[in-house]
Amino acid sequence: MPTPASRNTDPVIPSNGRDADPVDWDARYRAGETPWDKGYAAPPLTAFLSRHPVRGAVLVPGCGPGHDVRALASQGECEVTGLDLSATALRIARAHPPAGTECYLEGDLFALPREWDAHFDWVVEHTCFCAIPPARRADYVEAISRILKPGGHFLAIFFLDPGVEQGPPHGATREEIAGLFDPDFELIEEWIPEEVFPGREGGEICQLRRIG
């Protein structure tokens, strides 16, 4: 597993090359075409952390420049791994002063090593589920099911309406989310966040789930 010492290195998880993402995310970061990067952690996440500590091993898939990773690590109660396809995004993330015991890995969520099986206590989702092709959402659920410990938690900020005609980001309905995650992921809490990035009012839904 990655360790905090790896935050200044460039560990890579090889992709399996199957059903490659049609978006070249690293090219977007190199060109500075990253409107999703607001420069700070997702307000629904920081609001959640103010009332609910997250402990243990945490994975943030599609972490980009690591704002959500650092928000989690700053609690001092968890070891956070940020995973992203873009080497450029991760170089930006590593350039920030460490907030805690976070580390970053370049890799593909759909090609994680077997030693990650049942390793994580939490997966925190914000910008990965909406970015992948919708046809791969069942693969996403399979991937996080494999890496979460029994009883592990899944905290997600889902886009209901991303406000774009063609994604990514790709929106999802409550019904689709339920169809993907029920019954293996018990729904503990669901809410429409009050604290959001400007322009996203009413367009997101948060869910806290627990895998059996």
Side-chain angles (χ1 to χ4, degrees), residues 1 33 45 48 72 94 106 112 117 143 154 167 187 211:
M1 290 300 299
E33 298 173 355
L45 174 60
F48 178 84
L72 286 154
R94 293 187 184 103
E106 180 186 345
L112 298 179
D117 287 7
F154 176 63
L187 181 61
I211 193 168

Side-chain angles (χ1 to χ4, degrees), residues 36-81:
W36 58 86
D37 180 8
K38 307 301 184 183
Y40 56 99
L45 174 60
T46 54
F48 178 84
L49 294 176
S50 70
R51 61 183 176 86
H52 194 307
V54 171
R55 299 184 175 93
V58 184
L59 179 70
V60 181
C63 70
H67 306 303
D68 293 345
V69 171
R70 289 185 293 279
L72 286 154
S74 67
Q75 301 178 104
E77 300 188 54
C78 55
E79 296 182 358
V80 192
T81 300

